[in-house]
Amino acid sequence: MSLREEWLEDDCPCGSGNLYKECCDIFITGEAIAPTAEALMRSRYSAFVVEDPEYIFETHDPATRHEVDLEEIRAWSENSFWEGLSVVKVEGGGEKDSKGVVEFVAHYTAGEKEQHHHEISTFNKKEDRWYFTDGALVNNTFRRDQPKLGRNDPCSCGSGKKFKKCCGR
């Protein structure tokens, strides 16, 4: 039994509260077209959950689809345990709009590490079909490989001076 089949009688992984077979599955299988940017974003998340990278690839804007690596999508989908989706904000993207922006957080575990993919996604409608155009990560936290250099520590440039008297000025 495929992951898709396992989800058919369960609540949709997109968090809509509807059954998967009545929600995102109809978009992923091509039975219907996502009517809004948010519906497309939710169905793309569900495609990660049910391991259908082809849907994610096909719903990427045709103008930039060549920049997308299907095998990379497949690996992310298959090597992650998807735990939930939170939609933060939606701007435009309605049935009568041609552009939309959806901010969301996808929660997943990769290996032993919990991850939170916080993104602002842009969608465009072409010939009555929504496509993912671009995404920008939010709150990408910088993590140091080494401890922070204190002002009284020796400067990392090798001058022999204290950091505050050298590069820290």
Side-chain angles (χ1 to χ4, degrees):
M1 180 183 287
S2 72
L3 272 176
R4 180 189 161 269
E5 293 168 325
E6 289 177 25
W7 276 95
L8 287 175
E9 298 301 323
D10 287 339
D11 286 342
C12 192
C14 80
S16 67
N18 299 315
L19 287 177
Y20 172 69
K21 69 181 177 183
E22 298 167 355
C23 190
C24 292
D25 187 58
I26 63 174
F27 306 133
I28 294 171
T29 60
E31 202 176 307
I33 296 171
T36 65
E38 181 181 357
L40 179 63
M41 186 280 306
R42 287 179 177 277
S43 66
R44 286 170 57 89
Y45 171 81
S46 292
F48 273 103
V49 175
V50 301
E51 297 178 4
D52 192 334
E54 288 80 9
Y55 177 76
I56 298 160
F57 185 78
E58 290 300 318
T59 56
H60 191 96
D61 190 335
T64 56
R65 194 177 290 154
H66 65 278
E67 298 171 6
V68 179
D69 184 344
L70 180 59
E71 292 310 311
E72 218 172 82
I73 296 169
R74 184 181 318 283
W76 192 18
S77 175
E78 293 175 357
N79 296 317
S80 300
F81 179 73
W82 300 91
E83 299 173 16
L85 175 70
S86 305
V87 175
V88 177
K89 185 176 173 184
V90 178
E91 294 176 11
E95 292 185 35
K96 295 183 181 183
D97 294 323
S98 61
K99 294 186 182 293
V101 176
V102 181
E103 181 178 352
F104 68 91
V105 182
H107 308 276
Y108 67 99
T109 300
E112 297 292 317
K113 192 171 181 183
E114 285 185 21
Q115 303 285 333
H116 305 283
H117 182 87
H118 189 173
E119 181 176 302
I120 297 174
S121 293
T122 306
F123 296 85
N124 286 319
K125 192 183 220 182
K126 297 178 180 180
E127 299 175 10
D128 293 328
R129 185 178 290 263
W130 284 103
Y131 291 98
F132 168 81
T133 304
D134 195 19
L137 293 177
V138 177
N139 294 333
N140 217 3
T141 306
F142 173 78
R143 299 218 169 140
R144 300 177 195 283
D145 292 335
Q146 300 172 346
K148 183 178 177 183
L149 197 59
R151 47 186 263 112
N152 288 319
D153 291 334
C155 191
S156 59
C157 75
S159 68
K161 298 179 184 177
K162 288 186 178 182
F163 177 71
K164 69 180 178 185
K165 297 281 187 180
C166 191
C167 295
R169 288 192 125 157

